[in-house]
Amino acid sequence: MELTRDNRINGRCPAFRVLGPLEVHAETGPVPLTGARQRVVLAALLVRANRVVPLGDLVDAVWPDNPPATARDQVVNVVSALRRLVGPGGGPWLDTQPPGYALRIGPGQLDVEDFDALVRTADGLLAAGDQAAGIRALRQALALWRGPALADVPALFAAAEARRLAEVRLAAVEKLMDAEFIVGRHREVVPELTQLVAEHPLRERLRGQLMLALHAAGRTAEALAAYRSGRRLMVDELGLEPGAELQRIERAILTDTEVAEAPVVPAPASPPAHLPRDVADFTGRQAEVAEVLRWAGAASADGTAVPVVAIVGPPGAGKSTLAVHAAQRLRHTFPDGQLHATLGEREPAEVIAGLLRALGAPPTAIPAEPADRVRLYRSMLAQRRVLILLDDVTDAAQARPLLPGDPGCAVLLTSRLALTGLEGAHRVRLGALPPDDALALLAATAGPDRVAAEPAAAQLIIELCGRSPLALRVAGTKAAARPERTLTQLADRLADPRVRLDELRTGDLDVRAVLAPSVYALPTDLATAARRLALLGVGTFPVWTVTAVLGIPPTAVEELLDRLVDRQIVEFAGVDGAGQHRYRIPELYRLYLRFPDARRAASPLPTSA
């Protein structure tokens, strides 16, 4: 892609520059913006170009606090003035589209998009080994900058966007320096790096590159001085020692060993697309899907927090199925890739190593230290829009290192625990399916004609499966595989609680096997309590019943119930007419706790087990 600095006009529409003070250019030349309010409104539209920006958002951009009563009318007037400024030859560039406006731009009309396109071009050239062409593309991209982005736009959102774009620019600069090193231009880039380090003294990657360039140019004393001055600054201002990479470079210089320059991590040939397949017969959970899409789809450079959505619930509730279904619908929102990992009992560092390889890091570039892996992982995700799906998270501590730092990314995770310790996560709780959704899932798997022919048997199967998506899928799949058997016959076999879990198994779908890990992981006191409560033989129970059954004081019962609820073994069932909180054990868990092994189905576990 070749662009000149003045490649601004496409047809009859204006062109815009945000990589510096805000500028507008029409066919007739520069367009003067007459006030701060015009710049703020135009910048807010440009930051979300080709998307509808609600009128209320524009009001908030101009007046973050206490907007006047006429604020909406004033913004409408500003938009009209912007259209007049461009003139009748401006074309349909600023559309009125309820509930607000959309600024339409194409190739060559916004300098930041030109910058991004050139950097992507450079990534491809560098990955293909054409360093010279990659360097030219990066230098052409950086030449589009005229100063701090949106420098004359007095708004909070503009300051946040300026910080984001500054990070993007520095990442491109660091990529450029790596490429210059590969072609042996260490001496030539020393002045450039010296200026950059003076402007960004706490940027460790730039300081390390300056040390490498100075050392390669025969200026070893100056390279070590650059390290010492940087270390003093970091200790004085941050109270931190330099990172492992900067220390590695200093050690290599001191020992006069070959300075293994930090490996250039090429962009993958294509973005990772690791999502599992969506099931064709996904049924129900529409409200939960919409909630996940709303929260995870909020990933944006406008904010600073990474959207994290935790889908939690007991085994068999369909957490992974829902997460994959939502992720597949979101994948086009994250064009830089979708990552997937199943955690279970794996260490975060092991998982991150696999994700780094998926992002394009060669094995030799993956650090040995877990903390360094986390830093590289977050660096590689910076300025990218990547969706990360983490399945079967065991606790909040396991998830934290896997959360990216860039707000353009989003994380979906599933867990059998409530993950109450995961800061900032939005939780979507799954329990039993609503009756209509349960019937729809059974019809989708067993066949709608069979369900319609035996509605009473279908309803009985639904209740015997505890309206669990996994159990219903197993039952429906078994029914579909044996069309000569009626649903009534299947319901009769499921009716015996001692063998129901053994019936709910087909192929690699096994309800008992899915329940087992959660029960085995219970501490002894919780396991004993859960098994005794499962023997009550009631649908719901109040706190006083737990006190009587377990023989412990009410205060201890409340803590114990909280722990069981966090582990999804017990559910809050509401408040009864006497104002008492009631709880229940999900049906399939209750069966597992009563009959943990089919070989001992005739003799339930004693309450002392």
Side-chain angles (χ1 to χ4, degrees):
M1 176 182 181
E2 290 294 330
L3 294 173
T4 66
R5 183 134 183 179
D6 292 323
N7 183 14
R8 300 181 300 245
I9 306 301
N10 180 8
R12 299 169 63 84
C13 294
F16 307 92
R17 290 181 176 182
V18 299
L19 300 180
L22 180 59
E23 292 182 0
V24 184
H25 293 260
E27 287 183 301
T28 55
V31 176
L33 297 173
T34 57
R37 206 166 289 172
Q38 283 188 352
R39 291 196 298 274
V40 171
V41 170
L42 180 56
L45 292 164
L46 283 168
V47 167
R48 295 160 71 175
N50 292 319
R51 290 179 286 169
V52 177
V53 182
L55 180 57
D57 289 4
L58 296 176
V59 169
D60 291 342
V62 179
W63 296 279
D65 300 303
N66 302 317
T70 60
R72 297 174 74 88
D73 291 337
Q74 290 189 52
V75 170
V76 170
N77 292 336
V78 169
V79 172
S80 298
L82 287 171
R83 287 175 172 144
R84 289 194 300 273
L85 280 173
V86 174
W93 62 280
L94 184 50
D95 293 342
T96 299
Q97 187 170 336
Y101 302 95
L103 196 157
R104 308 296 182 187
I105 61 166
Q109 289 178 243
L110 180 59
D111 58 355
V112 69
E113 292 207 345
D114 296 341
F115 173 85
D116 289 341
L118 282 164
V119 171
R120 287 194 298 271
T121 297
D123 287 341
L125 292 167
L126 295 174
D130 192 344
Q131 303 298 318
I135 289 170
R136 286 196 300 272
L138 285 171
R139 290 206 173 275
Q140 191 177 3
L142 292 166
L144 295 173
W145 286 74
R146 297 167 290 111
L150 297 168
D152 57 348
V153 179
L156 294 175
F157 80 88
E161 178 69 0
R163 288 192 294 270
R164 183 189 76 84
L165 290 172
E167 285 294 320
V168 172
R169 175 180 174 271
L170 286 174
V173 168
E174 290 164 351
K175 192 178 300 184
L176 171 64
M177 293 299 113
D178 284 337
E180 295 279 24
F181 288 171
I182 290 175
V183 298
R185 289 175 47 83
H186 297 77
R187 187 185 305 274
E188 290 80 356
V189 298
V190 165
E192 195 172 353
L193 279 167
T194 301
Q195 178 63 31
L196 286 164
V197 170
E199 294 172 358
H200 307 280
L202 296 176
R203 187 90 175 186
E204 292 191 39
R205 180 78 181 108
L206 286 175
R207 188 173 294 273
Q209 289 175 322
L210 174 60
M211 292 168 63
L212 291 170
L214 287 167
H215 180 66
R219 299 162 64 175
T220 299
E222 293 174 71
L224 294 172
Y227 176 83
R228 289 192 296 271
S229 63
R231 180 183 178 278
R232 282 195 301 271
L233 186 65
M234 293 172 200
V235 171
D236 291 345
E237 293 199 10
L238 304 177
L240 297 174
E241 290 289 335
E245 182 61 23
L246 209 57
Q247 294 184 42
R248 182 191 67 80
I249 294 172
E250 188 228 12
R251 285 195 302 271
I253 293 173
L254 284 171
T255 57
D256 198 27
T257 57
E258 181 180 355
V259 181
E261 294 170 4
V264 178
V265 178
S270 59
H274 291 178
L275 295 178
R277 68 177 184 87
D278 196 3
V279 294
D281 56 0
F282 183 88
T283 305
R285 302 288 197 199
Q286 296 309 308
E288 291 86 350
V289 170
E291 189 176 359
V292 173
L293 296 179
R294 182 171 68 254
W295 283 88
S300 170
D302 295 342
T304 58
V306 177
V308 179
V309 180
I311 303 169
V312 301
K319 302 180 295 295
S320 298
T321 302
L322 186 146
V324 170
H325 179 73
Q328 288 287 1
R329 291 181 59 178
L330 285 166
R331 68 184 187 278
H332 298 301
T333 308
F334 297 90
D336 296 320
Q338 306 88 43
L339 298 172
H340 172 257
T342 300
L343 274 64
E345 298 301 321
R346 300 170 67 193
E347 290 295 324
E350 175 194 350
V351 177
I352 289 175
L355 297 179
L356 287 172
R357 289 191 292 272
L359 289 168
T364 55
I366 297 175
E369 291 296 321
D372 293 334
R373 288 186 183 183
V374 173
R375 279 192 283 268
L376 178 59
Y377 171 67
R378 290 176 176 158
S379 297
M380 293 188 71
L381 289 173
Q383 315 307 327
R384 296 189 189 185
R385 291 186 64 83
V386 176
L387 179 64
I388 300 146
L389 173 55
L390 305 175
D391 211 0
D392 195 17
V393 174
T394 58
D395 55 39
Q398 186 188 38
R400 287 192 193 99
L402 293 154
L403 303 182
D406 195 288
C409 297
V411 179
L412 300 183
L413 55 86
T414 71
S415 180
R416 304 176 185 211
L417 303 183
L419 296 182
T420 53
L422 190 59
E423 307 87 345
H426 177 78
R427 287 166 190 81
V428 177
R429 298 180 184 273
L430 301 187
L433 281 170
D436 289 345
D437 287 352
L439 183 62
L441 179 55
L442 183 62
T445 50
D449 293 341
R450 300 185 68 185
V451 168
E454 297 182 81
Q459 290 294 341
L460 182 55
I461 290 170
I462 288 169
E463 295 309 315
L464 292 171
C465 289
R467 289 188 271 122
S468 159
L470 175 61
L472 285 167
R473 185 171 293 280
V474 172
T477 300
K478 292 185 76 169
R482 300 297 299 269
E484 74 279 6
R485 293 181 179 174
T486 65
L487 293 186
T488 300
Q489 290 174 312
L490 175 59
D492 289 342
R493 292 199 305 277
L494 293 175
D496 185 347
R498 295 170 299 178
V499 297
R500 190 180 309 162
L501 292 180
D502 299 301
E503 288 288 340
L504 291 174
R505 180 177 60 216
T506 181
D508 61 350
L509 298 178
D510 185 343
V511 171
R512 185 188 295 278
V514 170
L515 297 172
S518 295
V519 177
Y520 289 152
L522 289 175
T524 302
D525 62 332
L526 293 187
T528 299
R531 285 168 178 160
R532 289 181 177 177
L533 292 173
L535 291 171
L536 285 174
V538 295
T540 67
F541 48 85
V543 174
W544 68 263
T545 301
V546 182
T547 302
V549 169
L550 301 182
I552 58 178
T555 53
V557 166
E558 291 180 2
E559 180 187 355
L560 181 141
L561 285 173
D562 285 344
R563 292 165 65 198
L564 287 171
V565 169
D566 283 344
R567 289 165 171 80
Q568 316 288 339
I569 302 292
V570 169
E571 298 175 341
F572 176 64
V575 180
D576 62 20
Q580 301 178 97
H581 287 192
R582 299 189 71 88
Y583 296 85
R584 64 169 161 255
I585 298 178
E587 175 65 11
L588 299 179
Y589 259 142
R590 192 173 67 84
L591 291 177
Y592 186 92
L593 290 164
R594 290 185 64 195
F595 310 115
D597 192 320
R599 292 170 297 181
R600 294 189 293 170
S603 55
L605 281 176
T607 57
S608 60

